[in-house]
Amino acid sequence: DAGVIQSPRHEVTEMGQEVTLRCKPISGHNSLFWYRQTMMRGLELLIYFNNNVPIDDSGMPEDRFSAKMPNASFSTLKIQPSEPRDSAVYFCASSFRPSASTDTQYFGPGTRLTVL
Amino acid sequence: DAKTTQPPSMDCAEGRAANLPCNHSTISGNEYVYWYRQIHSQGPQYIIHGLKNNETNEMASLIITEDRKSSTLILPHATLRDTAVYYCIVRASGSARQLTFGSGTQLTVLP
């Protein structure tokens, strides 16, 4: 099992540029989560998908952020335009929910984003 | 989801058992207790979860008190690689919901 795959692992960009982060969930998982981690705010959920449909995007900080899940094996988080305050580690996680019961989320290694 | 309280830091000698406490006095009947850890610069890693019975897997044991208001994660033989921030999370079943991470406990395993 390859686990959750994220790319790139590190991204350095300049303010105003577009940034795209990518995630491949574990095969067979039907829920996908995007989290952001900073020293000030800790780990916080940005958005999650269930069966490729966005369920809750209330954590997306503003319109500059958008996320898509075109199919069960791929998701993107895009920031346009990027700002220095977006600098953080972005984690993708996936889980499998066969029924309305508990599920376990498995996290990827993260993408460390630095916006200069 | 119920709030959890954990000590900010703990030390443990290598080879000894590490016992990490968590208080969740407002937990409700359908809420599970999850434990994750985050080793520096890595993604959070699932350890174990339980509802009311004690649980054990290859990584750890989870002891939940009878009233479910607190729990203890036990790493039976801590190694230096177990140095990490450990998060206790209470989460309801019934929907695909986020994990709400608090501040956790920084466990340092000493040689």
Side-chain angles (χ1 to χ4, degrees):
Chain A
D1 188 348
V4 176
I5 299 172
Q6 292 187 247
S7 65
R9 294 292 310 276
H10 302 273
E11 177 80 32
V12 180
T13 189
E14 293 187 347
M15 183 173 63
Q17 296 298 306
E18 177 179 296
V19 174
T20 299
L21 310 182
R22 297 173 177 78
C23 175
K24 177 179 170 57
I26 293 172
S27 178
H29 282 192
N30 59 354
S31 293
L32 184 140
F33 306 78
W34 282 100
Y35 290 83
R36 178 172 68 175
Q37 186 172 36
T38 62
M39 288 293 292
M40 291 295 293
R41 300 173 67 90
L43 264 162
E44 51 184 351
L45 180 75
L46 299 177
I47 184 170
Y48 77 84
F49 296 83
N50 198 39
N51 294 320
N52 310 339
V53 176
I55 302 299
D56 183 357
D57 65 354
S58 60
M60 297 285 262
E62 45 195 277
D63 292 345
R64 296 185 297 106
F65 285 69
S66 63
K68 294 182 179 179
M69 192 164 186
N71 56 62
S73 58
F74 184 66
S75 177
T76 59
L77 178 67
K78 185 176 294 186
I79 308 173
Q80 166 63 23
S82 58
E83 297 182 2
R85 58 184 168 143
D86 302 329
S87 297
V89 182
Y90 291 80
F91 291 104
C92 176
S94 70
S95 68
F96 173 61
R97 295 183 62 249
S99 62
S101 62
T102 185
D103 63 274
T104 298
Q105 294 180 26
Y106 295 89
F107 284 74
T111 295
R112 182 173 296 275
L113 173 65
T114 302
V115 183
L116 303 174
Chain B
D1 294 332
K3 182 178 178 180
T4 62
T5 304
Q6 298 177 254
S9 64
M10 292 181 62
D11 291 341
C12 175
E14 187 178 20
R16 305 297 291 269
N19 296 277
L20 293 96
C22 180
N23 182 287
H24 31 79
S25 57
T26 60
I27 194 170
S28 59
N30 69 339
E31 291 182 315
Y32 288 75
V33 180
Y34 280 80
W35 283 84
Y36 280 76
R37 73 180 182 183
Q38 188 172 24
I39 297 170
H40 183 62
S41 297
Q42 297 183 22
Q45 178 188 22
Y46 166 77
I47 301 173
I48 199 168
H49 75 279
L51 183 61
K52 50 185 174 183
N53 297 321
N54 297 338
E55 303 287 344
T56 295
N57 63 21
E58 65 279 3
M59 289 183 67
S61 295
L62 173 60
I63 308 298
I64 303 174
T65 58
E66 193 169 341
D67 63 8
R68 304 212 317 126
K69 294 184 176 182
S70 65
S71 60
T72 301
L73 178 74
I74 300 173
L75 308 178
H77 305 287
T79 71
L80 298 179
R81 287 176 294 181
D82 292 322
T83 293
V85 178
Y86 287 76
Y87 297 98
C88 170
I89 300 166
V90 171
R91 180 164 168 266
S93 63
S95 62
R97 296 179 58 177
Q98 68 186 77
L99 293 168
T100 302
F101 289 81
S103 301
T105 296
Q106 171 66 58
L107 175 69
T108 302
V109 180
L110 304 171

